[in-house]
Amino acid sequence: MKNFVYDIPTKVYFGKDQIQSLSELVKNLGKKLLIVYGGGSIKKNGIYDSVLEQLKKADGEWFELSGIEPNPRIATVKKGIQLCKEKKIDGVLAVGGGSVIDCSKAICAGAYYNGDPWNLVMNPSLIKNALPLIAIPTMAATGSEMDHIAVITNEDTDEKIGTRHPLLRPIASILDPTYTFSVSPYQSAAGVADIMSHIMESYFSKEPGLILENVAIGLLKTCMDSGLKVLEDPEDYEARANLMWVSCWAINDFLKLGRPVAWSVHPIEHQLSAVYDITHGVGLAILTPHWMEYVLNENTVDIFEGFFRKLWDWQDKELDSYELVYKGIEELNKFYAKLNLPMTLHELDIDSSQFSAMAKKAEKQVQQGFVPLSESDIVKIYEASL
Ligand code: NZQ
Ligand code: ZN
């Protein structure tokens, strides 16, 4: 196990009605707040009213930035930064999915930066300060509420990049599982696929790590089991709560510390959602089995075999390693089918015309991956996913 520093300072308020803590919490943000939210789901499900009630109690002044799009754009980040500078905002409250939280993180950093905020995405070392952020996630997926990542799209260059900096981590997050009851079956399923991918991306490392592997399998099984339950009953509190907490632990650094971890499927997917604006988790569900098949070789087969034996409880299954892995991938595909997710890029109206251009951009980010991939490798993974 490699040396590491474990430092996750986000204070988490977990459970039903934890919004009651917000009025005290926002006092730490300062007098003038910016509330950031998406296309209106929080107004339909009542979360907006609950938040406002707390802000009134805290006697603060607030401004709003709404309409944050899924796969948030740098142009929207710029709007938020301008508002922060004009109104001399002291802190930001993000209420929504990962897109809202990511956009808010970039706004928080951009409020202290005078150049083009895209520079902060491409070069996070330029981030020297950030406004304090409180996150109120309304779906379980990205884990942005407890991580230091903000994924932003540049619509001019068709790039989607995750910037990382400790200052981007929310100072506090309020996680009320009932806030996720209204998430549609499609977005719930995509969220499950995203959480699964975060766990798998960290699992597949060039070095073993027994604690991490065992915890990862436990998280993965919990996520899959709870994912099917919320599709059956969207108001299953326990299952929604499991998903909400697993989504944080999948990406809050715990699984990646102590051994080298470099994600592969995410950079390949980010190109798809940058160019075609697809739902991130859906792209991951389509690509992951094909990535597994592509990187399966004599150096990786034992790791995949160990993974699938633990995941599907196949400890005693007598099969040749390769056969077992192919069967394991087949089961994974069956699971995604149970989530009712599209299984091919065709179903999302994606053809091969942009594959080379997308692979060229993704390649830069997967060179240190579990199995380093070249542009032509990535094109082949896209082609297999068609
Ligand atoms: O915009 P509104 O009206 O709020 O509707 C949203 C949106 O249409 C809706 N939604 C959210 N909560 C809801 C709800 N609808 C009903 N009831 C609720 N309670 O869901 C739709 C999708 O929202 P979005 O925020 O885009 O989803 P998600 O949380 O999956 O975030 C995806 C973004 O996060 C990035 C992705 O690439 C993508 O841009 N990621 C961020 C990461 C991070 N910060 O660590 C890591 C991830 O790997 C990922 O890349
Ligand atoms: Zn993801």
Side-chain angles (χ1 to χ4, degrees):
M1 205 185 291
K2 301 252 187 303
N3 296 2
F4 59 82
V5 175
Y6 177 81
D7 180 19
I8 303 176
T10 302
K11 199 161 178 176
V12 174
Y13 294 74
F14 192 96
K16 187 167 162 22
D17 296 331
Q18 286 286 20
I19 195 73
Q20 304 295 347
S21 321
L22 184 63
S23 58
E24 276 306 307
L25 275 175
V26 290
K27 290 180 186 160
N28 300 328
L29 287 188
K31 222 35 199 149
K32 278 190 185 179
L33 305 184
L34 178 68
I35 313 177
V36 181
Y37 56 96
S41 69
I42 65 163
K43 290 202 168 162
K44 286 191 207 128
N45 55 25
I47 299 172
Y48 178 81
D49 292 337
S50 308
V51 168
L52 253 52
E53 198 180 300
Q54 291 293 312
L55 295 184
K56 284 174 194 158
K57 222 171 165 185
D59 206 18
E61 189 184 354
W62 68 86
F63 300 86
E64 297 191 9
L65 177 70
S66 63
I68 310 306
E69 55 284 285
N71 303 322
R73 315 284 155 84
I74 192 70
T76 314
V77 171
K78 285 179 187 165
K79 268 194 222 164
I81 293 171
Q82 199 184 344
L83 209 52
C84 286
K85 288 181 176 171
E86 265 172 33
K87 307 289 182 195
K88 300 200 171 15
I89 295 292
D90 297 309
V92 176
L93 186 57
V95 192
S99 296
V100 168
I101 302 173
D102 284 3
C103 184
S104 302
K105 287 174 173 176
I107 292 171
C108 287
Y112 282 101
Y113 182 69
N114 285 328
D116 181 343
W118 186 245
N119 298 338
L120 303 178
V121 178
M122 297 306 285
N123 181 4
S125 70
L126 293 172
I127 299 174
K128 301 292 180 206
N129 205 348
L131 291 171
L133 171 69
I134 292 178
I136 305 181
T138 60
M139 58 184 283
T142 65
S144 184
E145 55 274 19
M146 213 177 163
D147 77 18
H148 65 314
I149 308 170
V151 183
I152 306 295
T153 296
N154 185 328
E155 57 276 43
D156 295 331
T157 58
D158 276 346
E159 281 171 296
K160 186 179 186 190
I161 307 279
T163 187
R164 292 169 168 72
H165 197 284
L167 286 167
L168 298 181
R169 220 184 281 268
I171 58 164
S173 287
I174 297 177
L175 278 58
D176 183 335
T178 66
Y179 284 9
T180 66
F181 284 177
S182 57
V183 180
S184 69
Y186 186 76
Q187 286 294 340
S188 298
V192 168
D194 190 21
I195 301 167
M196 288 170 64
S197 176
H198 297 160
I199 299 168
M200 290 188 279
E201 296 264 35
S202 293
Y203 184 99
F204 293 107
S205 167
K206 289 172 196 158
E207 286 180 25
L210 200 53
I211 299 177
L212 303 177
E213 285 167 13
N214 286 337
V215 172
I217 293 289
L219 292 173
L220 197 49
K221 286 182 177 182
T222 309
C223 174
M224 294 167 78
D225 181 58
S226 304
L228 294 179
K229 286 185 176 152
V230 304
L231 292 189
E232 253 179 40
D233 176 6
E235 302 202 3
D236 181 334
Y237 181 86
E238 207 53 31
R240 289 287 192 190
N242 286 336
L243 283 183
M244 206 163 202
W245 199 213
V246 168
S247 76
C248 291
W249 284 88
I251 202 171
N252 71 5
D253 288 0
F254 176 80
L255 288 182
K256 75 164 203 205
L257 294 172
R259 59 184 189 155
V261 166
W263 292 11
S264 300
V265 187
H266 268 67
I268 301 176
E269 190 298 310
H270 281 162
Q271 279 308 305
L272 288 176
S273 41
V275 175
Y276 296 100
D277 204 15
I278 64 167
T279 300
H280 169 64
V282 174
L284 294 169
I286 295 171
L287 293 170
T288 300
H290 297 290
W291 169 80
M292 287 179 167
E293 278 190 25
Y294 194 81
V295 301
L296 179 63
N297 59 37
E298 58 183 13
N299 299 320
T300 62
V301 67
D302 291 347
I303 298 174
F304 278 111
E305 180 182 355
F307 171 75
F308 283 123
R309 280 196 187 277
K310 284 191 256 184
L311 179 62
W312 302 126
D313 293 317
W314 285 350
Q315 278 82 356
D316 300 325
K317 210 173 185 73
E318 288 183 16
L319 273 182
D320 150 75
S321 299
Y322 278 92
E323 254 180 278
L324 185 131
V325 174
Y326 282 120
K327 245 191 147 18
I329 296 174
E330 200 180 306
E331 287 302 310
L332 187 60
N333 265 320
K334 284 187 197 158
F335 178 79
Y336 290 133
K338 280 192 207 162
L339 293 180
N340 296 319
L341 289 173
M343 306 292 285
T344 63
L345 296 180
H346 266 316
E347 289 167 70
L348 304 176
D349 289 330
I350 295 175
D351 61 24
S352 61
S353 56
Q354 301 292 321
F355 284 177
S356 285
M358 292 193 301
K360 194 173 265 170
K361 286 179 184 149
E363 185 201 14
K364 291 181 208 146
Q365 295 170 62
V366 294
Q367 280 160 3
Q368 304 303 319
F370 177 54
V371 174
L373 297 169
S374 68
E375 183 186 328
S376 71
D377 293 324
I378 298 169
V379 167
K380 285 184 191 128
I381 294 171
Y382 285 138
E383 283 170 351
S385 310
L386 261 177

